[in-house]
Amino acid sequence: MSMRRRVPPAGGPRRAGAAGAALVLAGAGLVLGLAAGPAQAAEVSFATRCVPPAGVGLDPVDGTTKVEITAPAGAKVGDEVDVVWKFTQAASKNPNIIDLPANSVQPTGTLKVTGAQSTDLAMTGPRENPAIPKGGDMVLSDMKGTLKLTAAGKVTLTPGAYTVNAMGTNTVCTPTQTVPAAGTVQVAEGNGSSTPTPTQTPTSEPTDSATPTPTGTPSPTPSPTTSSDDGQTDFTGKAVDIPYTCQSPLGEKKATSSIQINAKKNGGSYGITVQFKNSPMDSPADIPADSVKPSMQVTLGGADTGSVAVEGPTNSGPIKSGDPIEIPDMTGTYKPGATGESTLSPGVLTIEALGTTTTCKPDSTAVSLTLTTEEQEGGASGGSSGSGGTSGTGGSSTSGGLAATGADDHAALKALGLVAGTAVLLGGAVFTFMPGRRRL
């Protein structure tokens, strides 16, 4: 009797097992889908008015903002869901004032939450951007926020106003029309026991970060050092506190700097060195090498009149964001134009950096050094460069005049201030001065 072994249909039990597993997985997926729906993204566009910082002199810009909002389609009460705001188009471009360095722009904004619950959700993005040239399209990072769901029903997400912080200045962009909803979340009943996730908070600088802060009460003005012509060649001046006023994109800025003028005699002329005694500061953005250059018109008085031009070197290497930076020693040559007691006082300070120029005018000045001079042919009497103003004799004070900077009609916008003891702008960048190392 022959025996036949029964062969089961190909793939029978194995296929049945796979099909069962697939059903189980599908069921699990269905359950998960009911707990939290997949992320959905929707783009909306809306008319927007962007208002530049006060004092810039630029008019508001009317443009169109395009935003894509991503959020889960479904969740339950008690959940905390992540919401992403992606800019596909900003309403305004970078003004034609200064190139914005990489990682110098940060967006923050408000997402309107309505429907089953109502709240304003704070959104913030990292300070991440490519270098943006003058007049170029603004490239803004994605903003994120975490929403705690508190009620069952449909929750609607709508973009609101947003702020663009560029190197310490804020441009506020506000919708000028009713903005369409950009997303919804269907919220089911829940026990509210989800593990909370900390809500993100904006990390941009305060809007008043560029407001100058005095570093202390100026010390009494010391008596100036007077030289005698008895063979001495090195003359050390006194540090004097000079109050400056600088125009910047954030308006007028005032600060007091301690400045010292020294001289070294060489024949009938003098090598002049101007030192800022309290000017270390931190940079808010990466600054390339050879991009920051200071200069000053030293005001002459007493027997002599006019001014002496001094200038400092540019920064020899790049300066990283957060690293110290300060005004270096400035040097020049003083050729006396008169015989007698001639005084030297700090005058107009000019800084050029990243394609911008600013001029800081002393509200009053004081004599740092007095030299016994002999008139030299072609000397300084009457003024030879700039317009540093005319100071009186002895330790008297006088207002300094603005030096010609060659700036165009937008000079007030092309502002850079580097004044010790305060915070002013580098074309919109804020430098915070503090005691520290010498750099530059």
Side-chain angles (χ1 to χ4, degrees), residues 218-225 237-244 256-261 274-278 296 344-347 364-369 395-397:
S219 59
T221 301
S223 301
T225 295
K238 296 290 185 181
V240 291
D241 293 326
I242 306 299
Y244 275 101
T256 298
S257 297
S258 181
I259 303 172
Q260 180 175 314
I261 302 174
V274 177
Q275 297 178 333
F276 275 72
K277 309 301 288 185
N278 61 331
M296 177 184 282
L344 288 80
S345 306
S364 63
T365 191
V367 175
S368 174
L369 179 64
S396 62
S397 297

Tab-separated table of all heavy atoms in Angstrom, residues 218-225 237-244 256-261 274-278 296 344-347 364-369 395-397:
chain	number	residue	atom	x	y	z
A	218	PRO	N	31.073	110.180	35.133
A	218	PRO	CA	32.378	110.640	34.662
A	218	PRO	C	33.174	111.287	35.788
A	218	PRO	O	32.650	112.018	36.618
A	218	PRO	CB	32.030	111.666	33.569
A	218	PRO	CG	30.639	111.292	33.132
A	218	PRO	CD	29.967	110.772	34.365
A	219	SER	N	34.470	110.970	35.804
A	219	SER	CA	35.327	111.549	36.831
A	219	SER	C	35.629	112.993	36.491
A	219	SER	O	35.534	113.406	35.342
A	219	SER	CB	36.623	110.734	36.916
A	219	SER	OG	37.274	110.749	35.664
A	220	PRO	N	35.984	113.781	37.483
A	220	PRO	CA	36.312	115.181	37.217
A	220	PRO	C	37.434	115.278	36.188
A	220	PRO	O	38.349	114.467	36.169
A	220	PRO	CB	36.760	115.701	38.590
A	220	PRO	CG	36.140	114.760	39.570
A	220	PRO	CD	36.080	113.430	38.903
A	221	THR	N	37.342	116.279	35.314
A	221	THR	CA	38.345	116.439	34.273
A	221	THR	C	39.677	116.836	34.889
A	221	THR	O	39.766	117.845	35.596
A	221	THR	CB	37.906	117.522	33.273
A	221	THR	OG1	36.658	117.131	32.709
A	221	THR	CG2	38.935	117.691	32.161
A	222	PRO	N	40.743	116.021	34.645
A	222	PRO	CA	42.033	116.345	35.242
A	222	PRO	C	42.707	117.490	34.501
A	222	PRO	O	42.330	117.836	33.389
A	222	PRO	CB	42.826	115.041	35.068
A	222	PRO	CG	42.217	114.412	33.844
A	222	PRO	CD	40.756	114.782	33.879
A	223	SER	N	43.709	118.055	35.131
A	223	SER	CA	44.464	119.118	34.476
A	223	SER	C	45.301	118.519	33.359
A	223	SER	O	45.871	117.449	33.506
A	223	SER	CB	45.382	119.817	35.490
A	223	SER	OG	44.618	120.370	36.545
A	224	PRO	N	45.410	119.223	32.221
A	224	PRO	CA	46.190	118.695	31.109
A	224	PRO	C	47.675	118.716	31.405
A	224	PRO	O	48.153	119.519	32.204
A	224	PRO	CB	45.841	119.644	29.954
A	224	PRO	CG	45.483	120.918	30.637
A	224	PRO	CD	44.789	120.511	31.909
A	225	THR	N	48.386	117.776	30.761
A	225	THR	CA	49.828	117.750	30.908
A	225	THR	C	50.447	118.800	30.003
A	225	THR	O	50.088	118.920	28.838
A	225	THR	CB	50.374	116.360	30.531
A	225	THR	OG1	49.878	115.417	31.469
A	225	THR	CG2	51.897	116.332	30.552
A	237	GLY	N	49.741	112.567	27.999
A	237	GLY	CA	48.569	113.369	28.330
A	237	GLY	C	47.755	112.766	29.451
A	237	GLY	O	48.040	111.678	29.953
A	238	LYS	N	46.736	113.483	29.848
A	238	LYS	CA	45.798	113.016	30.872
A	238	LYS	C	44.570	112.392	30.209
A	238	LYS	O	44.132	112.832	29.144
A	238	LYS	CB	45.352	114.188	31.755
A	238	LYS	CG	46.461	114.818	32.565
A	238	LYS	CD	46.934	113.896	33.677
A	238	LYS	CE	47.957	114.613	34.558
A	238	LYS	NZ	48.457	113.733	35.642
A	239	ALA	N	44.030	111.357	30.840
A	239	ALA	CA	42.773	110.783	30.355
A	239	ALA	C	41.640	111.753	30.696
A	239	ALA	O	41.505	112.180	31.842
A	239	ALA	CB	42.523	109.428	30.988
A	240	VAL	N	40.848	112.126	29.689
A	240	VAL	CA	39.730	113.046	29.896
A	240	VAL	C	38.442	112.374	29.440
A	240	VAL	O	38.435	111.589	28.489
A	240	VAL	CB	39.947	114.372	29.132
A	240	VAL	CG1	41.074	115.164	29.754
A	240	VAL	CG2	40.238	114.121	27.656
A	241	ASP	N	37.355	112.663	30.142
A	241	ASP	CA	36.060	112.068	29.815
A	241	ASP	C	35.342	112.962	28.814
A	241	ASP	O	35.054	114.125	29.104
A	241	ASP	CB	35.218	111.894	31.077
A	241	ASP	CG	35.816	110.862	32.028
A	241	ASP	OD1	36.409	109.885	31.530
A	241	ASP	OD2	35.699	111.038	33.257
A	242	ILE	N	35.045	112.397	27.657
A	242	ILE	CA	34.428	113.161	26.576
A	242	ILE	C	33.024	112.607	26.287
A	242	ILE	O	32.881	111.433	25.935
A	242	ILE	CB	35.277	113.087	25.287
A	242	ILE	CG1	36.729	113.508	25.572
A	242	ILE	CG2	34.655	113.955	24.197
A	242	ILE	CD1	36.880	114.925	26.072
A	243	PRO	N	31.980	113.433	26.432
A	243	PRO	CA	30.628	112.984	26.082
A	243	PRO	C	30.411	113.075	24.569
A	243	PRO	O	30.635	114.123	23.969
A	243	PRO	CB	29.726	113.968	26.841
A	243	PRO	CG	30.552	115.216	26.947
A	243	PRO	CD	31.990	114.784	27.033
A	244	TYR	N	29.995	111.975	23.966
A	244	TYR	CA	29.773	111.928	22.521
A	244	TYR	C	28.287	111.752	22.205
A	244	TYR	O	27.532	111.145	22.972
A	244	TYR	CB	30.539	110.759	21.907
A	244	TYR	CG	31.979	111.064	21.580
A	244	TYR	CD1	33.006	110.648	22.422
A	244	TYR	CD2	32.319	111.753	20.425
A	244	TYR	CE1	34.332	110.917	22.125
A	244	TYR	CE2	33.644	112.014	20.116
A	244	TYR	CZ	34.647	111.602	20.967
A	244	TYR	OH	35.955	111.871	20.653
A	256	THR	N	29.809	108.465	27.160
A	256	THR	CA	31.023	109.149	27.573
A	256	THR	C	32.207	108.204	27.475
A	256	THR	O	32.141	107.071	27.945
A	256	THR	CB	30.892	109.668	29.022
A	256	THR	OG1	29.818	110.609	29.079
A	256	THR	CG2	32.177	110.332	29.482
A	257	SER	N	33.292	108.686	26.834
A	257	SER	CA	34.492	107.882	26.667
A	257	SER	C	35.675	108.551	27.350
A	257	SER	O	35.809	109.774	27.337
A	257	SER	CB	34.807	107.705	25.175
A	257	SER	OG	33.778	107.003	24.527
A	258	SER	N	36.539	107.744	27.941
A	258	SER	CA	37.760	108.246	28.543
A	258	SER	C	38.885	108.111	27.515
A	258	SER	O	39.188	107.012	27.062
A	258	SER	CB	38.093	107.445	29.809
A	258	SER	OG	39.265	107.945	30.414
A	259	ILE	N	39.498	109.251	27.144
A	259	ILE	CA	40.467	109.291	26.042
A	259	ILE	C	41.734	110.003	26.499
A	259	ILE	O	41.682	110.996	27.223
A	259	ILE	CB	39.859	110.021	24.823
A	259	ILE	CG1	38.559	109.337	24.395
A	259	ILE	CG2	40.851	110.060	23.662
A	259	ILE	CD1	37.782	110.088	23.334
A	260	GLN	N	42.862	109.479	26.058
A	260	GLN	CA	44.157	110.057	26.407
A	260	GLN	C	44.961	110.309	25.136
A	260	GLN	O	44.990	109.480	24.235
A	260	GLN	CB	44.928	109.117	27.329
A	260	GLN	CG	46.299	109.620	27.755
A	260	GLN	CD	46.946	108.690	28.760
A	260	GLN	OE1	46.301	108.261	29.712
A	260	GLN	NE2	48.216	108.372	28.558
A	261	ILE	N	45.634	111.480	25.076
A	261	ILE	CA	46.470	111.848	23.926
A	261	ILE	C	47.916	111.949	24.382
A	261	ILE	O	48.226	112.686	25.327
A	261	ILE	CB	46.017	113.177	23.308
A	261	ILE	CG1	44.550	113.093	22.862
A	261	ILE	CG2	46.917	113.556	22.130
A	261	ILE	CD1	43.980	114.410	22.367
A	274	VAL	N	46.410	108.536	20.107
A	274	VAL	CA	45.148	108.705	20.837
A	274	VAL	C	44.699	107.337	21.330
A	274	VAL	O	44.566	106.391	20.542
A	274	VAL	CB	44.061	109.332	19.945
A	274	VAL	CG1	42.735	109.416	20.708
A	274	VAL	CG2	44.494	110.713	19.470
A	275	GLN	N	44.460	107.229	22.624
A	275	GLN	CA	44.068	105.959	23.231
A	275	GLN	C	42.689	106.078	23.875
A	275	GLN	O	42.422	107.032	24.598
A	275	GLN	CB	45.073	105.537	24.310
A	275	GLN	CG	46.480	105.263	23.787
A	275	GLN	CD	47.431	104.900	24.918
A	275	GLN	OE1	47.243	105.302	26.066
A	275	GLN	NE2	48.457	104.127	24.602
A	276	PHE	N	41.824	105.097	23.600
A	276	PHE	CA	40.555	104.966	24.320
A	276	PHE	C	40.824	104.071	25.523
A	276	PHE	O	41.249	102.934	25.374
A	276	PHE	CB	39.483	104.372	23.414
A	276	PHE	CG	38.778	105.383	22.567
A	276	PHE	CD1	39.424	105.969	21.501
A	276	PHE	CD2	37.471	105.747	22.843
A	276	PHE	CE1	38.786	106.917	20.716
A	276	PHE	CE2	36.824	106.692	22.073
A	276	PHE	CZ	37.483	107.280	21.005
A	277	LYS	N	40.549	104.606	26.711
A	277	LYS	CA	40.921	103.890	27.927
A	277	LYS	C	39.865	102.901	28.402
A	277	LYS	O	40.156	102.056	29.238
A	277	LYS	CB	41.201	104.901	29.050
A	277	LYS	CG	42.173	106.012	28.658
A	277	LYS	CD	43.522	105.464	28.215
A	277	LYS	CE	44.307	104.918	29.376
A	277	LYS	NZ	45.674	104.500	28.967
A	278	ASN	N	38.646	103.012	27.923
A	278	ASN	CA	37.579	102.132	28.427
A	278	ASN	C	36.679	101.669	27.285
A	278	ASN	O	35.474	101.835	27.316
A	278	ASN	CB	36.743	102.829	29.491
A	278	ASN	CG	36.056	104.074	28.954
A	278	ASN	OD1	36.544	104.716	28.039
A	278	ASN	ND2	34.902	104.402	29.540
A	296	MET	N	40.051	109.950	13.903
A	296	MET	CA	39.617	111.072	14.730
A	296	MET	C	40.303	112.344	14.259
A	296	MET	O	41.418	112.309	13.722
A	296	MET	CB	39.935	110.823	16.208
A	296	MET	CG	39.582	111.993	17.136
A	296	MET	SD	40.076	111.735	18.871
A	296	MET	CE	38.758	110.631	19.401
A	344	LEU	N	45.930	120.017	22.852
A	344	LEU	CA	45.358	118.935	22.043
A	344	LEU	C	44.187	118.325	22.809
A	344	LEU	O	44.333	117.929	23.979
A	344	LEU	CB	46.398	117.865	21.738
A	344	LEU	CG	47.493	118.237	20.719
A	344	LEU	CD1	48.591	119.076	21.389
A	344	LEU	CD2	48.111	116.991	20.101
A	345	SER	N	43.037	118.250	22.137
A	345	SER	CA	41.808	117.736	22.767
A	345	SER	C	41.146	116.722	21.842
A	345	SER	O	41.187	116.868	20.617
A	345	SER	CB	40.822	118.884	23.041
A	345	SER	OG	41.434	119.910	23.804
A	346	PRO	N	40.502	115.666	22.397
A	346	PRO	CA	39.771	114.718	21.552
A	346	PRO	C	38.675	115.429	20.768
A	346	PRO	O	37.979	116.305	21.306
A	346	PRO	CB	39.177	113.729	22.554
A	346	PRO	CG	40.081	113.826	23.755
A	346	PRO	CD	40.477	115.275	23.817
A	347	GLY	N	38.535	115.077	19.505
A	347	GLY	CA	37.530	115.699	18.649
A	347	GLY	C	36.588	114.677	18.038
A	347	GLY	O	36.244	113.671	18.666
A	364	SER	N	31.095	118.213	24.209
A	364	SER	CA	32.105	119.161	24.697
A	364	SER	C	33.411	118.398	24.753
A	364	SER	O	33.430	117.173	24.772
A	364	SER	CB	31.737	119.704	26.085
A	364	SER	OG	31.718	118.650	27.028
A	365	THR	N	34.515	119.126	24.755
A	365	THR	CA	35.798	118.444	24.813
A	365	THR	C	36.659	119.081	25.878
A	365	THR	O	36.294	120.115	26.465
A	365	THR	CB	36.494	118.466	23.439
A	365	THR	OG1	37.619	117.579	23.460
A	365	THR	CG2	36.956	119.860	23.052
A	366	ALA	N	37.779	118.468	26.186
A	366	ALA	CA	38.670	118.958	27.230
A	366	ALA	C	40.103	118.682	26.809
A	366	ALA	O	40.381	117.744	26.063
A	366	ALA	CB	38.357	118.272	28.561
A	367	VAL	N	41.014	119.489	27.288
A	367	VAL	CA	42.421	119.368	26.905
A	367	VAL	C	43.044	118.157	27.591
A	367	VAL	O	42.966	118.004	28.811
A	367	VAL	CB	43.193	120.639	27.272
A	367	VAL	CG1	44.693	120.474	26.997
A	367	VAL	CG2	42.635	121.831	26.500
A	368	SER	N	43.650	117.294	26.790
A	368	SER	CA	44.376	116.150	27.328
A	368	SER	C	45.866	116.426	27.427
A	368	SER	O	46.534	115.933	28.332
A	368	SER	CB	44.151	114.920	26.444
A	368	SER	OG	44.950	113.829	26.857
A	369	LEU	N	46.407	117.234	26.492
A	369	LEU	CA	47.845	117.473	26.457
A	369	LEU	C	48.131	118.898	25.987
A	369	LEU	O	47.484	119.393	25.060
A	369	LEU	CB	48.513	116.469	25.507
A	369	LEU	CG	50.029	116.566	25.318
A	369	LEU	CD1	50.764	116.270	26.625
A	369	LEU	CD2	50.489	115.610	24.222
A	395	GLY	N	42.488	124.589	30.075
A	395	GLY	CA	41.643	123.399	30.142
A	395	GLY	C	40.229	123.678	29.743
A	395	GLY	O	39.325	123.002	30.191
A	396	SER	N	39.977	124.717	28.961
A	396	SER	CA	38.606	125.074	28.608
A	396	SER	C	37.987	124.040	27.711
A	396	SER	O	38.660	123.294	27.036
A	396	SER	CB	38.588	126.444	27.924
A	396	SER	OG	39.323	126.400	26.724
A	397	SER	N	36.655	123.999	27.678
A	397	SER	CA	35.919	123.056	26.848
A	397	SER	C	35.250	123.786	25.710
A	397	SER	O	34.890	124.948	25.822
A	397	SER	CB	34.843	122.325	27.680
A	397	SER	OG	35.449	121.572	28.699
